[in-house]
């Protein structure tokens, strides 16, 4: 199989840095050929708090990936922080031709107009993705070229982030000796969605929820396109913090206890609620004994708060943006908490599932975990959407309709 090129992605998270390298061929097949993972203590809730520690984690993750014989230079980077938000925007232009037939130039002009999002002081646009077009009031048009009309409009999703936050991300990557691709900073919510959502889910309307240790990334898709996203600074760390405080144990032991014995609700205990769990106290001088029911009660209280926030996001997307949400898909490390999908169905009233990356088709088993959804999605995005890959997009192994449309639109907008 003739190899074309390699591409590298970095997922810089609150608990870990993941570096992954993809190699793709002329026949459109993707192979993720290397992975490096290292613990990271330099971020809190997605924000940098220790530059040196983060650079060290990036170095070690990259070095591990490079042991496979590949060299890392340019990288894509996913971002997840309370300093990242989204906006809905639209642009409109008059059709220029005397015959009123919409041309590529008209489409380019309206996409540029849709990019003129009002950006708050101290912030900048990360990416803009057009959702659909309107011609003389007719909505839901995916490709207006050659249609006849007087007025052309574009509706767009825009991701915005704090300039200081983005500069800090750029700085730590540069200090690790790496360069970020042009347009290579991607919202983690968008990246994870590319790895775990099916075309049918995106068409019908879906809320993707990536729960990592530091943050919760949410993205709503409708009619195949991303329409809304938001970030909550309450990932798995808040659950562990609640458990640590409730039982006077360390944060790390609380995280392990949740992974091994945690449930999102006492109603899923199945008769083992009185099972005793023993763990060392935070001072390591005494043993703390608690029941599985007591642990579930603490977790449930916080999960209820998170689901309440998701319900508000659903209501906002439905009432203010007229988006339909038919299901919820969870991914990320904390999504593996037992009972989460069942609890979500009960509270939000829609089907829910927990997903690992399902694309590309030849995904290594070592990456087939919700923990790696963001880094896999970054690689998919990079192969299909970066300017460097404009003439050699991979198309095999998974459904590419949505990604190809996004790639075409992004190449016109920027």
């Amino acid at each position: 199989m003739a190899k074309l090129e390699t591409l590298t992605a970095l997922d810089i998270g609150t608990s870990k840095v993941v570096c992954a390298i993809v190699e793709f061929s002329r026949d459109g097949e993707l192979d993720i050929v290397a992975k490096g993972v290292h613990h990271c203590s330099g971020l809190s809730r997605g924000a940098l708090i220790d530059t040196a520690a983060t650079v060290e984690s990036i170095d070690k993750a990259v070095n591990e990936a490079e042991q496979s014989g590949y060299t890392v230079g340019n990288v894509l980077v996913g971002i997840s922080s309370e300093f990242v938000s989204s906006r809905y925007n639209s642009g409109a232009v008059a059709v220029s031709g005397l015959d009123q037939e919409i041309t590529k130039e008209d489409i380019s002009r309206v996409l540029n107009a849709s990019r003129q999002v009002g950006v708050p002081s101290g912030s900048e646009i990360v990416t803009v993705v057009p959702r659909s077009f309107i011609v003389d009031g007719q909505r839901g048009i995916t490709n207006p070229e050659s249609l006849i009309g007087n007025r052309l409009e574009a509706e767009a999703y825009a991701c915005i982030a704090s300039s200081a936050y983005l500069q800090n991300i750029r700085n730590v990557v540069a200090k690790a000796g790496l360069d970020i691709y042009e347009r290579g900073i991607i919202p983690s919510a968008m990246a994870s969605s590319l790895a775990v959502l099916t075309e049918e889910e995106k068409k019908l309307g879906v809320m993707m929820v990536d729960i990592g240790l530091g943050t919760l990334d949410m993205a709503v898709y409708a009619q195949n396109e991303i329409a809304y996203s938001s970030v909550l600074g309450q990932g798995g760390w808040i659950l562990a913090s609640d458990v640590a405080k409730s039982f006077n144990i360390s944060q790390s032991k609380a995280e392990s206890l949740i992974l091994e014995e945690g449930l999102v609700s006492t109603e899923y205990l199945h008769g083992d609620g009185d099972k005793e769990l023993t763990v060392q106290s935070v001072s390591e001088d005494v043993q703390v004994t608690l029941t599985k029911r007591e642990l579930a009660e603490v977790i449930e209280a916080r999960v209820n708060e998170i689901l309440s926030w998701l319900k508000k996001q659903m209501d906002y997307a439905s009432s203010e943006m007229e988006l339909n949400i038919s299901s919820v898909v969870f991914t990320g490390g904390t999504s593996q908490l037992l009972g989460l999908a069942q609890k979500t169905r009960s509270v939000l009233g829609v089907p829910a599932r927990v997903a690992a990356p399902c694309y590309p088709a030849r995904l290594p088993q070592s990456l087939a975990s919700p923990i790696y959804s963001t880094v896999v999605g970054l690689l998919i995005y990079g192969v299909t959407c970066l300017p460097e890959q404009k003439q050699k997009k991979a198309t095999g192994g998974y459904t590419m309709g949505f990604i190809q449309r996004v790639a075409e639109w992004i190449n016109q907008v920027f």
Side-chain angles (χ1 to χ4, degrees), residues 297-315:
E297 287 172 347
V298 174
I299 295 172
E300 184 172 20
R302 184 63 69 175
V303 169
N304 284 340
E305 286 189 10
I306 292 173
L307 292 177
S308 176
W309 182 81
L310 291 176
K311 180 66 165 61
K312 290 178 181 178
Q313 300 300 311
M314 286 183 65
D315 291 344

Side-chain angles (χ1 to χ4, degrees), residues 1-5 23-30 391-396:
M1 181 171 63
K3 298 297 182 181
L4 284 180
E5 189 173 333
E23 193 171 35
F24 50 98
S25 67
R26 292 188 184 277
D27 57 10
E29 293 183 330
L30 305 185
Q391 302 303 320
K392 43 196 175 187
K393 296 181 179 70
T395 57

Side-chain angles (χ1 to χ4, degrees), residues 178-218:
L178 305 172
D179 295 318
I180 299 176
Y181 282 105
E182 179 188 355
R183 301 207 307 267
I185 296 179
I186 311 301
S188 293
M190 181 187 293
S192 296
S193 297
L194 294 177
V196 303
L197 296 182
T198 67
E199 291 296 306
E200 190 66 20
E201 286 171 333
K202 287 182 286 190
K203 180 179 178 180
L204 293 176
V206 61
M207 174 183 283
M208 192 286 308
V209 183
D210 186 338
I211 312 181
L213 182 64
T215 59
L216 180 154
D217 294 86
M218 182 278 298

